[in-house]
Amino acid sequence: MLPVATKVREVHGLDPRALPEEVLTSTEPLLLRGLAKDWPLVRAGLESPRAAIDYLRRFARRDAQVAVLVAPPQVEGRYFYNDALSGFNFHTERPPLGAMLDAMERHLDDARPPSLYMGSTTVDTYLPGLRDENDLDLSAHDPLFSVWVGNRTRIAAHQDVPDNIACVAVGHRRFTVFPPDQLRNLYIGPLDLTPAGQPVSLVDFAAPDHARFSRFAEALAHAQVAELGPGDAIFIPSLWWHHVEGLDPFNVLLNYWWRRTPAYMDSPMNALMLALMSVRDLPDEQRAAWQEIFRHYVFEPDADTAGHIPEDARRTLAPMTPEVARELRARLLQRLNR
């Protein structure tokens, strides 16, 4: 375990049917002890891993193909790049969900099993009915509800745009989380070749190379850790970095993702990629000018930013609306496709 002294703040006694807004809008991670302790899946997992697998089989669309990351035993569950960072140390298979569960059961007692990991799979599509018995009432936020199944795994530190409540249903997991401002100290890898869609830290948390990644010690000074057992949950605010470890031969996590922004707002990652292409390599004086433009219009707008323009003529400088967003997106696509 990493030498992290600070623990994620714990909250006890929450009602899963009425989570308070101060939890759902927290700007710090929160460990929600026992939030899902009454789920039937949690009770099945406490009985045995096989009982949990049997419970999942009740709902599984057995012939529906799912994406499973498969790695040899020697990677010890660390899903990562190859040595050259030109590819990965795992491959993806697409077995039927029933076959995935069968493989998990077959390798339960192996001393050195292959690493198996089914990540971010939509519950309502692949396990219809599971949500009826295992759910939090977050309907007002219209969350995406996903399931993650695997054996002992280590998922590199990464960040997600949505807010996140992750519920451990079976097994135990360790979360190590960092505030967004630790980007520089986490040594993030490529933006456009990633193990699972999000850029990840290149630091091996099990054996950090402090000579190569000298600033990682500073990241650890800002880290928080949470150990979750069956029925526990963690709230991870938008863009907080998190490293996740599955600690048991069989682990199941269910999570809720939602954004506190309108659906018409695009992903900021798209803006970052476009800025890398069009701004980063400008001459210094031009880049400085654009830095001021972004500060003025994006990062520090105030009443004076467009106050000299009549309200009905402000268009994209006015508060964004779905209609203006559609027009702006169409204009951008037209320009990018020239």
Side-chain angles (χ1 to χ4, degrees):
M1 178 178 174
L2 288 169
V4 179
T6 304
K7 293 185 177 180
V8 173
R9 181 163 70 89
E10 293 193 20
V11 181
H12 295 256
L14 292 175
D15 183 349
R17 298 163 299 180
L19 290 175
E21 280 301 303
E22 57 263 30
V23 168
L24 300 178
T25 58
S26 175
T27 57
E28 297 274 336
L30 299 171
L31 174 51
L32 313 176
R33 283 288 185 207
L35 184 65
K37 61 181 173 59
D38 294 326
W39 285 2
L41 177 56
V42 172
R43 293 197 294 268
L46 290 172
E47 180 181 337
S48 71
R50 286 183 170 82
I53 291 172
D54 286 341
Y55 181 83
L56 290 173
R57 286 188 177 120
R58 285 177 45 196
F59 305 97
R61 293 178 55 200
R62 291 185 59 87
D63 294 333
Q65 291 185 327
V66 292
V68 179
L69 309 186
V70 181
Q74 56 265 31
V75 309
E76 296 182 335
R78 186 190 183 209
Y79 287 95
F80 198 61
Y81 292 95
N82 59 23
D83 291 341
L85 269 67
S86 59
F88 307 107
N89 66 354
F90 61 87
H91 68 277
T92 301
E93 297 182 5
R94 296 191 174 276
L97 178 53
M100 163 61 177
L101 294 174
D102 293 344
M104 293 299 306
E105 183 173 23
R106 190 164 57 250
H107 291 290
L108 275 177
D109 301 320
D110 290 4
R112 297 192 73 218
S115 293
L116 304 173
Y117 186 63
M118 183 186 80
S120 191
T121 300
T122 308
V123 171
D124 295 337
T125 301
Y126 293 93
L127 293 157
L130 181 75
R131 191 173 193 166
D132 294 339
E133 300 182 6
N134 308 267
D135 199 11
L136 307 178
D137 187 0
L138 295 172
S139 54
H141 298 271
D142 191 24
L144 177 65
F145 189 34
S146 300
V147 61
W148 312 66
V149 179
N151 45 20
R152 289 187 175 92
T153 55
R154 292 188 285 146
I155 305 304
H158 62 283
Q159 58 181 182
D160 299 305
V161 172
D163 291 308
N164 182 7
I165 288 183
C167 304
V168 172
V170 183
H172 295 76
R173 291 191 189 238
R174 179 185 298 121
F175 286 76
T176 306
V177 296
F178 305 83
D181 64 10
Q182 291 307 300
L183 165 66
R184 180 174 182 271
N185 300 323
L186 287 169
Y187 295 90
I188 303 306
L191 300 183
D192 49 357
L193 178 67
T194 66
Q198 301 296 334
V200 303
S201 171
L202 299 184
V203 181
D204 183 351
F205 279 36
D209 184 344
H210 288 288
R212 180 183 175 193
F213 303 118
S214 59
R215 295 189 306 274
F216 183 60
E218 177 63 19
L220 288 179
H222 297 271
Q224 300 177 38
V225 68
E227 300 266 359
L228 279 68
D232 293 334
I234 185 171
F235 171 77
I236 303 175
S238 170
L239 297 176
W240 273 68
W241 299 95
H242 47 289
H243 178 276
V244 188
E245 300 169 79
L247 304 177
D248 292 338
F250 182 63
N251 300 277
V252 180
L253 179 142
L254 295 119
N255 88 302
Y256 302 80
W257 271 323
W258 71 95
R259 294 182 65 180
R260 283 182 272 162
T261 52
Y264 60 77
M265 286 185 63
D266 209 341
S267 169
M269 180 57 76
N270 292 340
L272 174 61
M273 300 298 276
L274 187 57
L276 288 172
M277 180 180 71
S278 57
V279 177
R280 183 193 60 188
D281 296 331
L282 290 171
D284 290 349
E285 67 279 4
Q286 293 183 30
R287 194 167 65 250
W290 279 105
Q291 183 175 9
E292 173 59 18
I293 292 169
F294 272 75
R295 184 203 62 77
H296 183 73
Y297 288 110
V298 178
F299 293 106
E300 298 179 22
D302 57 27
D304 292 333
T305 301
H308 55 287
I309 304 173
E311 283 192 24
D312 58 359
R314 291 176 187 173
R315 298 184 60 77
T316 56
L317 293 179
M320 193 61 60
T321 66
E323 293 74 23
V324 173
R326 279 197 298 270
E327 292 177 13
L328 186 55
R329 183 175 290 107
R331 194 180 310 147
L332 286 170
L333 288 172
Q334 185 179 36
R335 290 183 178 181
L336 287 171
N337 288 327
R338 285 177 180 171

